[in-house]
Amino acid sequence: MVIPVHDVNPVRRTPWVTYALIAANVLVFLSTPGIAGSVAGGSDLVQLCHLQAFMDHYAAVPRELIHHQMPRLVPTGGVGVGPHGPGCVVAAPGYDKSPPLSVFTAMFLHGSWLHLLGNMLFLLIFGNNVEDRMGHIRYFLFYVVCGYAAGYGFALLNASSSDPLIGASGAIAGVLGAYLVLYPKARVWVLVPFLIFLPLRLPAWLVLGFWFGLQAVYSSGHGVSGAGTVAYAAHVVGFIAGMLLAWPLKPGTPPPPEPRGLLFGRRARPRQAWQTW
């Protein structure tokens, strides 16, 4: 997997919404009960039970979204001892949960620093240009719509699942799809793991097309064992939604500046300019 670090595509206005989304995700992550232990790498049972109860309350659950069936028993955050030893206490939910609203709250939940930082890196690099093209309000609405499309799309494909769905990946996938439509020729600096991290400057259509291809392959169960614990199908749906929503804006989008030099290496040799007489 290539790691994007910077795109050669300046913006005309400050991407306040992108910055606000990143700040909100970080603040929610740091305030999530039980997350401190996972950050330190030494979660105990009490922290895990608090984290599980919090996620079940605010995460999106496919079975709840499709069938509107709330579970009879949910984790309370407490710890008890049962026939099989210590575990998390479950009881009837003491709260009313709105499944549609949970899709929105789930966009700001992350299970680890790696999950959070990976999402925020993609949002920072590609979100600023999409926001610049759409404008602040329209960009925020676009972000939320892509997140909902990804959440419900995943739920339709996994209607019987009771596993919580968390993360901003679906909404950010929509941002990537929009970037691919609006700026396919923009150059993106990436790190490619090949013995060492090799810096390359590649066109956005190659970077994002490769990313989408991997998500599509993984969502089918190929390349990973049982599709892992990552909601790859949500990435695919969010990406396609972002492409479709951004397509009407493509004709009026100015092209990114043409970078000078070769496509790789730190000291790129400038290309010769052809002159017309």
Side-chain angles (χ1 to χ4, degrees), residues 17-43:
V17 174
T18 297
Y19 292 159
L21 288 171
I22 293 174
N25 277 277
V26 173
L27 289 175
V28 170
F29 179 78
L30 293 176
S31 61
T32 299
I35 207 67
S38 66
V39 172
S43 299

Side-chain angles (χ1 to χ4, degrees), residues 57-61 64-65 97-107:
H57 188 176
Y58 294 103
V61 179
E64 297 174 5
L65 294 178
K97 180 179 180 180
S98 169
L101 181 60
S102 69
V103 179
F104 180 78
T105 55
M107 295 183 203

Side-chain angles (χ1 to χ4, degrees), residues 10-272:
V11 296
R12 300 166 299 173
R13 67 187 100 188
T14 303
W16 293 118
V17 174
T18 297
Y19 292 159
L21 288 171
I22 293 174
N25 277 277
V26 173
L27 289 175
V28 170
F29 179 78
L30 293 176
S31 61
T32 299
I35 207 67
S38 66
V39 172
S43 299
D44 57 22
L45 183 59
V46 174
Q47 292 172 324
L48 290 176
C49 290
H50 277 95
L51 181 60
Q52 185 177 359
F54 183 84
M55 292 299 180
D56 280 11
H57 188 176
Y58 294 103
V61 179
R63 186 167 60 185
E64 297 174 5
L65 294 178
I66 302 303
H67 302 295
H68 296 277
Q69 295 178 349
M70 301 299 296
R72 294 185 299 106
L73 299 175
V74 296
T76 64
V79 177
V81 179
H84 302 288
C88 299
V89 176
V90 295
Y95 52 82
D96 293 326
K97 180 179 180 180
S98 169
L101 181 60
S102 69
V103 179
F104 180 78
T105 55
M107 295 183 203
F108 297 90
L109 301 179
H110 293 84
S112 67
W113 272 113
L114 184 61
H115 187 198
L116 173 70
L117 294 179
N119 278 343
M120 296 305 101
L121 175 63
F122 276 80
L123 180 58
L124 178 63
I125 293 174
F126 300 105
N128 59 347
N129 291 106
V130 178
E131 180 179 352
D132 186 56
R133 179 65 184 90
M134 293 184 174
H136 304 308
I137 297 177
R138 186 160 53 172
Y139 169 72
F140 177 74
L141 295 176
F142 163 84
Y143 182 91
V144 173
V145 169
C146 288
Y148 267 86
Y152 272 97
F154 180 82
L156 286 171
L157 297 173
N158 302 270
S160 61
S161 174
S162 59
D163 295 329
L165 177 66
I166 62 172
S169 305
I172 295 173
V175 173
L176 303 185
Y179 194 100
L180 178 61
V181 168
L182 299 175
Y183 306 104
K185 296 182 180 180
R187 300 297 178 177
V188 181
W189 280 102
V190 299
L191 297 177
V192 180
F194 184 75
L195 299 181
I196 60 174
F197 283 101
L198 182 65
L200 297 176
R201 191 171 67 192
L202 303 175
W205 65 263
L206 181 60
V207 176
L208 298 179
F210 178 71
W211 182 88
F212 177 75
L214 282 181
Q215 308 310 301
V217 171
Y218 290 162
S219 67
S220 66
H222 295 87
V224 289
S225 176
T229 58
V230 180
Y232 294 107
H235 301 173
V236 173
V237 175
F239 192 93
I240 294 174
M243 292 184 66
L244 295 176
L245 291 173
W247 198 267
L249 299 176
K250 181 177 176 60
T253 302
E258 183 67 22
R260 296 171 58 85
L262 301 178
L263 299 184
F264 56 87
R266 295 184 61 184
R267 296 179 177 270
R269 176 174 58 85
R271 295 178 299 177
Q272 295 180 347

